[in-house]
Amino acid sequence: ARHQREQMEIVLLFTPAVFHIGWQSSGGKPCEQETRGPHICVIAPGLPHECRLEGDAELLVLYVECSLLRRVMRKKIRGVVVSESAQHDVVIWMLASLLRHLCTAQLRPSARTIDSIGGEFACWLVDLLQKSDVAAQQSGGGLTPVQRERVMSFMQANMKHDIHVVDLAKQTGHGVSHFADLFTNTFGRSPYHYLKEIRLLKGYEMLLTGDYLAKEVALAVGYSNPDHFSKVFHEFCGYSPRELLRRIRRAAVKPPA
């Protein structure tokens, strides 16, 4: 069904479902965007649109009030935006994973908690979109979509093993130096730093479930030394894996018998 909201809509698609969205441009031209999850789609405020999903979909939709947008945006978002930079930003997906956990687990977070995390997510995303506009104008070229997919798949499949830049370069057919330049242009960070971030993201998601010990998570994401994993995790998140586990256990509410 066709609908529109006065707020900006952020669609977080967590599963590999296909998301179709149709709308009309300001000139009345029909437009359609198709994307496959996991991905993030941003819909401009007041835009009439239609959505359709294919496959088993797990998604979360955030509605961002225009009063917040006016404070944080330098340039209006028009139409529908599917951002590659947002898709590969680790902070974005850490916040998304936390929202997903709060909304699906047996927890009772306050509306204030959801608003606070959702607001932080929206501000980070808007800032990222605005920076990516500048980067796109300055970039000297990057990896193709096929090459990005091959590199990401290799990282995910081999996360618990040692991964070197030469291993990633082989997935694209480029030499190491040229690959590193293309990768940095594409993701805004070096292969080494990006790999570290997605390992921390995977660890964060595992810890959120409450089903794993910190040392089990460390080994699963490629850290043979749990103490080193804890140190790197603390530097990135501001708290240790054990502290995150304690917070999750304190927040948990036992389901009724």
Side-chain angles (χ1 to χ4, degrees):
R2 195 171 185 82
H3 65 283
Q4 71 182 97
R5 306 278 302 209
E6 291 305 312
Q7 304 97 332
M8 183 177 80
E9 296 180 51
I10 303 174
V11 181
L12 305 174
L13 187 59
F14 292 100
T15 51
V18 178
F19 180 67
H20 300 268
I21 179 167
W23 74 100
Q24 286 189 340
S25 68
S26 56
K29 180 182 177 181
C31 302
E32 184 170 344
Q33 175 74 52
E34 175 186 308
T35 186
R36 182 180 297 273
H39 226 312
I40 297 172
C41 180
V42 179
I43 303 169
L47 179 70
H49 58 280
E50 298 176 351
C51 299
R52 179 169 54 89
L53 284 163
E54 295 179 10
D56 294 330
E58 181 183 354
L59 59 82
L60 185 65
V61 182
L62 303 181
Y63 299 101
V64 184
E65 297 292 343
C66 291
S67 57
L68 174 61
L69 294 178
R70 285 192 291 268
R71 293 201 303 270
V72 300
M73 290 190 67
R74 298 186 299 271
K75 180 181 177 182
K76 286 185 178 181
I77 289 178
R78 302 185 185 279
V80 175
V81 177
V82 178
S83 172
E84 290 296 327
S85 58
Q87 181 190 8
H88 301 294
D89 187 86
V90 174
V91 174
I92 282 288
W93 286 106
M94 279 187 167
L95 292 169
S97 296
L98 181 55
L99 286 168
R100 177 192 196 184
H101 176 72
L102 290 172
C103 292
T104 58
Q106 294 294 325
L107 304 176
R108 296 174 185 171
S110 66
R112 183 175 180 179
T113 298
I114 295 295
D115 285 346
S116 175
I117 298 170
E120 184 177 354
F121 176 92
C123 289
W124 189 275
L125 176 60
V126 167
D127 186 58
L128 192 65
L129 293 175
Q130 293 177 144
K131 287 179 178 177
S132 65
D133 286 343
V134 175
Q137 297 171 8
Q138 299 175 344
S139 173
L143 299 173
T144 67
V146 172
Q147 290 171 339
R148 287 198 299 267
E149 180 61 30
R150 288 175 179 168
V151 171
M152 292 301 101
S153 296
F154 184 86
M155 284 185 175
Q156 294 292 343
N158 297 278
M159 192 177 295
K160 65 181 180 180
H161 305 298
D162 287 340
I163 299 177
H164 303 284
V165 177
V166 65
D167 301 320
L168 303 176
K170 287 178 181 177
Q171 310 308 310
T172 67
H174 293 301
V176 173
S177 179
H178 185 47
F179 165 77
D181 289 340
L182 294 174
F183 189 100
T184 302
N185 287 342
T186 302
F187 297 108
R189 53 186 69 77
S190 70
Y192 169 78
H193 283 97
Y194 186 82
L195 178 60
K196 180 175 76 171
E197 289 181 355
I198 67 165
R199 280 177 161 153
L200 292 173
L201 173 60
K202 179 62 176 179
Y204 184 86
E205 291 174 340
M206 291 178 68
L207 290 167
L208 279 181
T209 68
D211 296 333
Y212 303 92
L213 298 175
K215 62 181 180 181
E216 294 175 323
V217 173
L219 292 173
V221 299
Y223 286 85
S224 58
N225 185 334
D227 291 335
H228 182 54
F229 170 70
S230 181
K231 179 182 177 182
V232 174
F233 190 95
H234 188 281
E235 290 173 350
F236 192 82
C237 298
Y239 44 80
S240 70
R242 289 186 176 85
E243 175 59 25
L244 177 58
L245 286 172
R246 283 196 291 269
R247 293 182 186 185
I248 293 168
R249 287 162 185 160
R250 283 199 302 266
V253 176
K254 292 183 180 180

